[in-house]
Amino acid sequence: MKQLFLNLNLWRSSGSSQNATHFAQRSKMMEYDQALVWVTLILMVFGMVMVYSASISLPDSPKYANYKNNHFLVRQAMFVTVSILASFIVFRLRVEDWQRLAPYLFIATLVLLVLVLVPGIGKGVNGAKRWISLKVFNVQPSEMMKLFMVLYAADYTVRKQEFMHKLTKGFLPMMITVAVLGLLLLLEPDLGAFGVIVCIAMGILFLGGINGVWFGGIAAALVGIFTSVILLSPWRRERIFAYLNPFEEDNALGKAYQLTHSLIAFGRGELFGVGLGASVEKLHYLPEAHTDFLLAVIGEELGFVGVAVVIYLFYWIVKRAFEIGRQAIVLDATFAGLTAKGIGIWIGIQTFINMGVNLGLLPTKGLTLPLMSYGGSGVLINCIGLTLLLRIDYENRLMMRGGRI
């Protein structure tokens, strides 16, 4: 009998030890959001594959005659690698460090937007000056501003929380800041980036508890401003009219050329696509197929199913960002919560505009598909933004366990 109790105690001790090990492993596995990491990596790697497919024939044209077939693949792979390495560094920064740096990062990027307009410093591509050349790669300050506007607007809302219902102390200063920023972006010109940044600022202020009357009034004013910008600009006005009737002969060969070929690409793809690498539209028919119109190539080669998968993955990221933000606010981390939701607004709005343009739901505008389209600044900043989201979730989990940050 004594031996039986001894064996029973040994079994219980062994079971307790195994349970402790199990819970320790489980706790370790749940320190960060693995699903968010995998979805982000899948989108970047899939984007790299599609950039290669969309750009492989570009060296056949005179514009890219000096490029190799894998030129854009190699550079995109380099951008993705640098972005992942940067993410390891960014993840180690605490959210409170980002809050402290938010105003300085915003001002520094504002200075870069001014430098873009200085002759000899700003680099122009296709008639727009949006880049600063660093020899190895080009920096696009407007992409940086999307992330830093999230941080700045979240920090501003936290600092001015008691004045959010007042026009002069709460709403007006932010609107003046956005107006100055908009002027710089329209001088590049980059109406698409301005639209995304306005949505970020307005969305965070709304979530932060801005007065509903002022919010509605300024929203109506912004609609009026955007309408005026379009109507007073002949080439923007022509693009809108072309978008409304893209297959009219003059439009199809002019302002709506990209849109018509994008729609043809989706039409050819049907349900399952013509096969990876088999796109016809990327053979010098669809301009910027590896950047702004990457989704059209996905639609042609992988069909409705491929596009639906991409849409779902972006939907999941946006939904997850709002869940993380809501959890942070419950834990009384208001800045972290607004930042997480701001990242969700940023990724969601930019994705919606890019997909809307590709599908003919919106007028043609130069905005890339986050994480996937070719471009160093875009991929890097998108990756940093999602790493910050991962850090917010990490700190949420740490606080829920009673740990210290």
Side-chain angles (χ1 to χ4, degrees):
M1 182 65 71
K2 183 177 180 180
Q3 184 63 36
L4 179 62
F5 279 114
L6 182 60
N7 291 338
L8 183 61
N9 287 332
L10 287 172
W11 177 81
R12 284 176 176 172
S13 299
S14 174
S16 299
S17 176
Q18 290 175 355
N19 288 337
T21 302
H22 170 72
F23 284 119
Q25 290 174 346
R26 182 181 176 186
S27 177
K28 184 177 180 182
M29 288 176 63
M30 296 186 66
E31 284 182 355
Y32 67 96
D33 192 334
Q34 293 187 28
L36 180 59
V37 174
W38 279 111
V39 169
T40 302
L41 288 174
I42 287 170
L43 283 172
M44 287 197 297
V45 173
F46 180 45
M48 195 162 55
V49 172
M50 294 312 303
V51 165
Y52 180 47
S53 177
S55 64
I56 193 170
S57 63
L58 287 180
D60 296 338
S61 68
K63 183 179 178 180
Y64 299 101
N66 296 326
Y67 289 59
K68 294 182 179 179
N69 288 353
N70 64 350
H71 172 83
F72 292 99
L73 170 64
V74 171
R75 288 185 64 83
Q76 186 75 352
M78 180 184 72
F79 297 148
V80 169
T81 302
V82 170
S83 299
I84 292 173
L85 292 176
S87 296
F88 284 106
I89 299 172
V90 169
F91 186 76
R92 300 190 66 83
L93 293 175
R94 297 175 302 174
V95 176
E96 66 178 66
D97 295 331
W98 284 103
Q99 184 174 8
R100 188 177 66 255
L101 293 171
Y104 305 105
L105 292 170
F106 181 83
I107 293 171
T109 311
L110 203 61
V111 172
L112 290 178
L113 285 173
V114 173
L115 291 177
V116 165
L117 303 174
V118 176
I121 297 179
K123 180 181 178 182
V125 177
N126 295 332
K129 293 183 68 173
R130 302 174 186 171
W131 295 267
I132 296 176
S133 178
L134 298 180
K135 304 300 180 184
V136 179
F137 66 94
N138 299 322
V139 174
Q140 190 173 356
S142 58
E143 287 291 336
M144 299 167 61
M145 183 55 79
K146 293 170 187 174
L147 172 60
F148 297 148
M149 174 52 81
V150 170
L151 296 171
Y152 180 74
D155 176 58
Y156 179 88
T157 303
V158 171
R159 286 188 289 108
K160 301 284 186 176
Q161 191 62 53
E162 59 181 306
F163 303 114
M164 280 290 102
H165 289 279
K166 297 181 179 180
L167 177 63
T168 54
K169 291 185 178 181
F171 199 67
L172 195 59
M174 176 58 80
M175 286 304 99
I176 292 173
T177 303
V178 173
V180 172
L181 180 59
L183 178 62
L184 293 173
L185 289 171
L186 291 176
L187 289 174
E188 292 185 4
D190 195 346
L191 184 61
F194 180 40
V196 173
I197 289 169
V198 166
C199 289
I200 291 169
M202 294 289 288
I204 291 176
L205 288 176
F206 177 77
L207 294 171
I210 196 70
N211 183 289
V213 175
W214 297 123
F215 182 86
I218 202 66
L222 285 170
V223 171
I225 291 170
F226 274 102
T227 303
S228 300
V229 167
I230 292 170
L231 293 178
L232 295 175
S233 174
W235 64 273
R236 286 195 179 102
R237 190 168 61 247
E238 290 173 8
R239 182 175 284 183
I240 290 291
F241 289 132
Y243 148 76
L244 294 174
N245 188 16
F247 286 100
E248 194 271 326
E249 186 175 354
D250 291 338
N251 293 337
L253 298 175
K255 296 293 183 182
Y257 181 81
Q258 285 177 299
L259 175 56
T260 53
H261 282 280
S262 177
L263 294 175
I264 291 170
F266 283 112
R268 291 192 74 248
E270 297 185 347
L271 188 59
F272 295 107
V274 297
L276 184 62
S279 168
V280 171
E281 285 299 320
K282 71 183 181 184
L283 303 177
H284 314 297
Y285 293 105
L286 179 61
E288 310 299 334
H290 60 304
T291 55
D292 300 346
F293 283 86
L294 188 67
L295 188 71
V297 178
I298 295 173
E300 185 178 4
E301 296 189 350
L302 302 178
F304 171 80
V305 173
V307 174
V309 169
V310 172
I311 291 173
Y312 175 76
L313 292 176
F314 278 111
Y315 161 76
W316 187 91
I317 287 178
V318 174
K319 177 174 173 289
R320 186 72 188 114
F322 274 82
E323 290 172 350
I324 292 171
R326 184 169 61 250
Q327 184 64 62
I329 291 173
V330 168
L331 294 170
D332 204 27
T334 307
F335 171 79
L338 290 175
T339 298
K341 291 184 178 184
I343 291 170
I345 292 170
W346 161 31
I347 299 296
I349 289 293
Q350 184 163 335
T351 301
F352 173 76
I353 293 175
N354 176 273
M355 291 182 173
V357 167
N358 277 254
L359 292 165
L361 301 175
L362 298 171
T364 304
K365 188 87 293 300
L367 273 179
T368 56
L369 187 61
L371 297 171
M372 298 185 69
S373 291
Y374 174 79
S377 296
V379 173
L380 177 61
I381 295 300
N382 295 155
C383 202
I384 288 174
L386 290 173
T387 303
L388 175 55
L389 180 64
L390 190 68
R391 174 71 195 194
I392 293 170
D393 178 66
Y394 169 78
E395 292 190 7
N396 287 351
R397 293 169 188 243
L398 201 59
M399 285 189 287
M400 284 189 289
R401 291 193 183 101
R404 298 182 63 182
I405 299 171

